[in-house]
């Protein structure tokens, strides 16, 4: 079975059908609504695996990808045809498996987690629509379809983050995610417009072919378009300065957090950069402004988010900032020319981050809250959750031979060998981030699973099998999926290698440094939180050592410009604009309006006086003159009318004499 149009249509439409079924009939099914979603998404998953295998096998002999496109509509008057279609290449095949496979286990996990929720069927409807939207984004072969899927993914995230909308925090988080990502989407739309204006095409293949043959001046314009397109990735993948929405998205159900962070929304930005990589790499890999911007924003975000994660007490917020950091890692890898490394980390991260979020959901399900300071000692009560969580933690921290080690090492190696401006500094940021990642994950493990239970009202217990089975499956892949990228026999590189990207030979230096900093981070976390576990929720060993810096980190470096509830620079800037608005209102009312009113009054006075003079002396004067002259003429002509016949005869004779004299004069001339 190959990726025929029928197979691809079923892969994409099956989750959408599940969405429609639950919308119209889910209320009748109630607690059985998940059967339809699990069945149809399961069909999509199986077909995705089949398409993946066939695509991989074919790629060794024939790199040609499967695709189809047809006419959507024509505008205007037949000048351009908008097409709709799909393509299945190696990268698409990998993403299909990531989205459907991980998504199916998240849905299975949701059966236990969402049991008893009054909007059970609606939850599975939204979850299915979320997957359908992401599959459309992965499969589309043109910018129109990409943008449509892009916005659908944003809409679904809004619906799922705010699923418990009766909670003010959830409603606020949903609005925040929707609005902040729209900022990046505006740049994304402008990038599409500029690309179309320059190339006259919307199909990805057509754009890439045009760009390859374009003049240097046109390539500069397309580089600007690539930077604008990257704005969309900054929003969707929560990169600085639009990173602020993702931690608040934790207000949604935990399976939603896992889906957003692992296989759908945040992965969309990185995938988009990878899919449009020929535009970003159009001007080579050295001193390329587009790739340099991608690399530095990614590297800085990775470091920034990691520093914030070390001071968070909410178990899901730690993982949220970890996601932001790892997405920054991926983009840094793509920016330094590590096309394979960045996308490889996208795949491995999807498995272990889904595992960690579902593991955190298992913990929350057991203790009833998110506060790590009130947990502790859970490894005795939740052995399956503990073991699987440790595997996810090790994969994220980059401990060999777990999945995250291989992909993170590839990114560091790419940065180590890169020649973009400041590549060595990016490599150093990557190492520091690796240390911080290992530290905050060890801190989380120590606070949650070691020591004694600090919440005496909690009665922890292991989660049901419907929740632990997905944990075990994801733990297996978190431990093994990285082997497809082992240096020297890098299967992933052979499948998705970008032809013109620089190839870096295996180097021991980045690998050894990566292992060393990860071990140092684990040792530091172990000494503070495991060897000497905290006894009271109020204790915080790190605050004792960092002082005020810890509070700054806990308050997110005061960079959340969207949230005016926190006393931070964004808040003061917002208040400054409010006072500026008040001042401007006063200036407008009393100065500008005062001047306008004064001019109006003066104009009215002058105009009224002039009008009065004109009326009195011109209009009335003219009327009076006409009356006086008429009266004068009347008095004169009245004297002629005496009533005597001789006077009238005299006038007649005088008139005839005058006419005769005038006639004689005319003849003599």
């Amino acid at each position: 079975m190959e990726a025929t149009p029928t197979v691809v249509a079923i892969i994409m439409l099956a989750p959408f059908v599940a969405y429609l079924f639950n919308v119209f009939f889910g209320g009748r099914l109630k607690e059985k609504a998940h059967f339809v979603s699990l069945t149809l998404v399961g069909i999509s998953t199986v077909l995705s695996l089949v398409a993946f295998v066939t695509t991989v096998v074919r790629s060794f002999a024939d790199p040609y990808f499967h695709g189809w496109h047809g006419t959507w509509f024509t505008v205007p008057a037949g000048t351009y045809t908008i097409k709709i279609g799909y393509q299945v290449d190696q990268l698409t095949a990998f993403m299909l498996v990531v989205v459907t496979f991980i998504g199916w286990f998240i849905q299975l996990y949701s059966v236990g987690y969402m049991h008893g929720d009054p909007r059970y069927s609606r939850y599975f409807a939204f979850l299915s629509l979320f997957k359908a939207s992401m599959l459309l984004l992965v499969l589309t072969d043109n910018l129109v379809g990409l943008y449509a899927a892009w916005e659908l993914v944003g809409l679904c995230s809004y619906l799922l983050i705010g699923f418990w909308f009766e909670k003010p925090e959830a409603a606020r988080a949903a609005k925040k995610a929707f609005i902040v990502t729209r900022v990046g989407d505006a740049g994304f739309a402008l990038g599409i417009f500029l690309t179309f204006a320059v190339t006259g095409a919307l199909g990805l293949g057509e754009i890439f072919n045009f760009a390859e043959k374009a003049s240097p001046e046109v390539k500069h314009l397309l580089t600007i378009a690539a930077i604008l397109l990257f704005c969309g990735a900054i929003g969707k993948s929560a990169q600085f300065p639009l990173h602020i929405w993702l931690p608040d998205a934790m207000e949604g159900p935990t399976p939603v957090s896992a889906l957003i962070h692992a296989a759908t929304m945040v992965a969309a930005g990185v995938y988009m950069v990878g899919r449009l990589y020929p535009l970003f790499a159009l001007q080579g890999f050295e001193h390329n402004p587009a790739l340099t911007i991608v690399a530095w924003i990614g590297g800085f975000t990775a470091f920034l988010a990691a520093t914030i994660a070390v001071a968070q007490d909410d178990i899901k917020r730690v993982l949220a900032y970890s996601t932001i950091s790892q997405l920054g890692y991926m983009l840094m890898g793509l920016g330094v020319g590590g096309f394979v490394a960045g996308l490889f980390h996208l795949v491995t991260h999807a498995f272990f981050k889904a595992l960690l979020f579902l593991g955190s959901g298992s913990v929350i399900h057991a203790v009833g809250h998110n506060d790590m300071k009130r947990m502790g000692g859970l490894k005795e009560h939740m052995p399956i959750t503990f073991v699987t969580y440790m595997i996810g933690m090790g994969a994220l921290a980059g401990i060999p031979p777990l999945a995250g080690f291989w992909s993170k090492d590839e990114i560091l190696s790419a940065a180590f060998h890169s020649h973009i401006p400041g590549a060595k500094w990016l490599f150093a940021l990557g190492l520091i981030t690796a240390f911080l990642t290992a530290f905050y994950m060890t801190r989380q493990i120590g606070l949650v699973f070691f020591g004694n239970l600090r919440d005496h009202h909690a009665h922890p217990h292991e989660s049901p099998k419907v929740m632990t089975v997905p944990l075990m499956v994801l733990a297996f892949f978190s431990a093994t999926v990285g082997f497809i990228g082992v240096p020297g026999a890098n299967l992933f590189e052979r499948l998705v290698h970008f032809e013109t990207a620089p190839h870096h030979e295996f180097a021991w230096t980045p690998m050894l440094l990566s292992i060393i900093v990860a071990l140092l981070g684990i040792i530091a976390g172990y000494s503070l939180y495991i060897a000497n576990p905290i006894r009271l929720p109020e204790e915080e060993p790190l605050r004792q050592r960092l002082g005020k810096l810890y509070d700054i980190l806990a308050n997110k470096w005061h960079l959340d410009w969207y949230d005016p509830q926190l006393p931070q620079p964004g808040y003061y800037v917002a208040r400054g604009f409010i006072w500026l608005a008040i001042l401007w209102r006063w200036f407008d009312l009393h100065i500008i309006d005062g001047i306008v009113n004064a001019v109006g009054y003066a104009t009215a006075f002058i105009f009224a006086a002039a009008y009065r003079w004109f009326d009195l002396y011109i209009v009335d004067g003219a009327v009076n003159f006409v009356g006086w002259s008429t009266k004068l003429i009347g008095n004169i002509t009245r004297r002629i009318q005496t009533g005597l016949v001789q006077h009238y005869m005299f006038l007649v004779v005088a008139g005839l004499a005058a006419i005769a004299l005038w006639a004689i004069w005319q003849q003599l001339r």
Side-chain angles (χ1 to χ4, degrees):
M1 184 183 297
E2 297 184 357
T4 62
T6 302
V7 172
V8 173
I10 295 173
I11 291 174
M12 187 172 61
L13 293 178
F16 186 71
V17 173
Y19 159 73
L20 293 176
F21 190 91
N22 276 310
V23 166
F24 291 105
F25 306 106
R28 299 180 182 178
L29 296 175
K30 297 182 180 179
E31 289 294 322
K32 297 181 180 180
H34 61 269
F35 282 115
V36 177
S37 292
L38 285 173
T39 302
L40 291 175
V41 175
I43 293 172
S44 179
T45 302
V46 172
L47 292 179
S48 295
L49 289 170
V50 172
F52 168 75
V53 172
T54 55
T55 302
V56 169
V57 172
R58 176 184 283 258
S59 66
F60 288 106
D62 183 11
Y64 174 76
F65 62 84
H66 304 273
W68 171 89
H69 62 263
T71 300
W72 189 5
F73 59 89
T74 303
V75 294
T79 58
Y80 188 78
T81 299
I82 304 295
K83 298 180 179 179
I84 187 169
Y86 77 90
Q87 68 177 40
V88 180
D89 56 11
Q90 295 92 319
L91 177 58
T92 304
F94 268 105
M95 288 302 299
L96 286 177
V97 173
V98 170
V99 174
T100 57
F101 185 80
I102 295 178
W104 190 86
F105 279 100
I106 290 174
Q107 282 201 327
L108 178 63
Y109 178 95
S110 299
V111 174
Y113 191 90
M114 298 298 293
H115 179 74
D117 193 280
R119 295 187 292 272
Y120 190 77
S121 62
R122 182 185 297 182
Y123 170 82
F124 280 94
F126 291 165
L127 214 60
S128 299
L129 181 61
F130 205 179
K131 282 192 202 171
S133 303
M134 190 62 193
L135 289 172
L136 174 61
L137 190 150
V138 170
L139 287 165
T140 186
D141 69 341
N142 62 86
L143 292 180
V144 175
L146 181 64
Y147 188 76
W150 193 268
E151 296 302 322
L152 275 174
V153 167
L155 173 63
C156 293
S157 68
Y158 170 79
L159 296 173
L160 286 168
I161 293 170
F163 184 76
W164 291 323
F165 53 82
E166 62 274 7
K167 296 169 55 181
E169 297 83 2
R172 187 163 49 247
K175 290 187 290 184
K176 184 177 184 178
F178 193 80
I179 292 171
V180 172
T181 54
R182 292 290 80 71
V183 177
D185 291 353
F188 186 60
L190 291 174
I192 293 175
F193 295 152
L194 181 57
T195 303
F196 179 72
V198 174
T199 65
L202 292 169
L204 300 185
E206 297 172 340
I207 293 172
F208 298 156
N209 291 333
F210 178 93
E212 186 178 355
K213 303 173 183 177
S215 64
E217 293 77 14
V218 173
K219 288 184 178 180
H220 288 316
L221 288 175
L222 290 175
T223 299
I224 296 173
I227 295 172
L228 290 172
L229 291 168
F230 179 61
C231 292
I234 292 175
K236 278 289 191 290
S237 294
Q239 298 296 285
F240 177 84
L242 302 182
H243 65 285
I244 58 175
W245 69 269
L246 190 56
D248 292 304
M250 301 303 98
E251 295 296 337
T254 297
V256 172
S257 302
L259 194 60
I260 289 176
H261 287 251
T264 54
M265 187 169 176
V266 297
V270 179
Y271 173 78
M272 183 270 291
V273 175
R275 174 56 68 198
L276 303 181
Y277 204 66
L279 278 184
F280 287 86
L282 196 58
Q283 300 194 58
F285 290 87
E286 295 185 14
H287 306 289
N288 184 323
L291 289 179
T292 301
I293 290 172
V294 171
W296 271 102
I297 288 182
F300 177 75
T301 305
F303 168 76
L304 178 72
T307 61
I308 298 174
V310 303
Q312 301 302 308
D313 296 331
D314 187 304
I315 185 172
K316 289 173 65 177
R317 283 186 176 266
V318 173
L319 298 178
Y321 281 106
S322 169
T323 299
I324 297 172
S325 181
Q326 296 306 302
L327 291 167
Y329 242 107
M330 299 170 202
L331 290 171
M332 184 181 74
L334 291 171
V336 298
F339 175 78
V340 175
L343 295 178
F344 184 35
H345 198 52
L346 176 65
V347 173
T348 60
H349 176 265
F351 285 97
F352 62 72
K353 187 52 60 74
L355 168 63
L356 289 170
F357 265 107
L358 296 186
S360 71
S362 179
V363 171
I364 295 168
H365 185 266
V367 300
H369 58 81
N370 297 21
D371 190 356
M372 297 188 300
K373 295 290 188 66
R374 295 165 56 197
M375 299 178 186
L378 296 183
K379 67 183 179 70
E380 306 296 336
H381 304 276
M382 308 177 70
I384 298 176
T385 300
F386 169 67
V387 173
T388 55
Y389 208 94
M390 287 292 293
I391 294 173
M393 172 264 180
L396 176 57
I399 303 301
L402 302 178
F405 165 74
W406 304 108
S407 55
K408 187 178 293 186
D409 176 68
E410 285 290 325
I411 292 174
L412 290 174
S413 181
F416 183 79
H417 292 96
S418 177
H419 297 287
I420 72 165
K424 294 298 184 284
W425 289 104
L426 286 172
F427 175 71
L429 275 179
L431 287 177
I432 297 171
T433 302
F435 168 82
L436 293 172
T437 302
F439 174 80
Y440 66 66
M441 288 307 300
T442 307
R443 172 180 180 266
Q444 186 180 68
I445 290 289
L447 290 174
V448 174
F449 293 103
F450 288 86
N452 297 317
L453 181 63
R454 292 175 288 276
D455 185 357
H456 301 294
H457 300 287
H459 302 284
H461 53 84
E462 186 61 91
S463 299
K465 289 185 179 180
V466 73
M467 296 174 66
T468 57
V469 169
L471 294 180
M472 290 185 285
V473 173
L474 291 172
F476 171 78
F477 283 101
S478 297
T480 59
V481 75
F483 289 109
I484 64 174
V486 174
N490 198 325
L491 176 63
F492 190 84
E493 181 177 7
R494 292 175 63 186
L495 292 175
V496 301
H497 181 66
F498 186 67
E499 288 77 7
T500 60
H503 176 74
H504 308 297
E505 297 294 334
F506 173 75
W508 284 100
T509 301
M511 175 179 285
L512 292 176
L513 289 175
S514 174
I515 295 173
I516 290 171
V517 296
L519 291 176
L520 290 175
I522 292 173
I523 293 170
Y526 179 86
S527 63
L528 288 178
Y529 295 95
I530 298 178
N532 299 292
I534 66 172
R535 299 181 179 180
L536 299 172
E538 295 78 15
E539 294 181 11
E540 178 48 71
L542 196 60
R543 178 182 275 112
Q544 299 174 2
R545 289 160 175 79
L546 297 182
K548 293 183 178 180
L549 178 60
Y550 181 89
D551 296 326
I552 294 174
L553 299 179
N555 286 319
K556 303 170 284 188
W557 287 102
H558 302 294
L559 291 174
D560 193 347
W561 48 268
Y562 184 90
D563 191 357
Q565 295 181 341
L566 298 176
Q568 49 198 353
Y571 167 78
Y572 295 117
V573 170
R575 295 298 300 176
F577 278 109
I578 292 173
W579 282 108
L580 183 63
I582 294 172
L583 178 63
W584 176 254
R585 183 176 180 274
W586 179 88
F587 184 81
D588 182 57
L589 287 176
H590 298 281
I591 304 299
I592 296 180
D593 286 356
I595 295 173
V596 172
N597 292 336
V599 171
Y601 292 140
T603 302
F605 177 79
I606 295 171
F607 183 80
Y611 180 81
R612 183 172 178 274
W613 181 87
F614 184 83
D615 184 59
L616 286 175
Y617 295 100
I618 304 301
V619 178
D620 289 355
V623 173
N624 292 334
F625 176 77
V626 171
W628 175 81
S629 60
T630 302
K631 183 179 179 182
L632 178 63
I633 293 171
N635 289 332
I636 295 172
T637 55
R638 186 179 61 183
R639 295 177 182 179
I640 300 174
Q641 297 176 344
T642 60
L644 300 175
V645 176
Q646 58 269 31
H647 288 173
Y648 296 148
M649 291 299 295
F650 174 77
L651 291 173
V652 170
V653 172
L656 292 173
I659 292 171
L661 290 172
W662 180 81
I664 294 170
W665 172 255
Q666 291 296 322
Q667 290 293 329
L668 292 175
R669 289 179 63 188

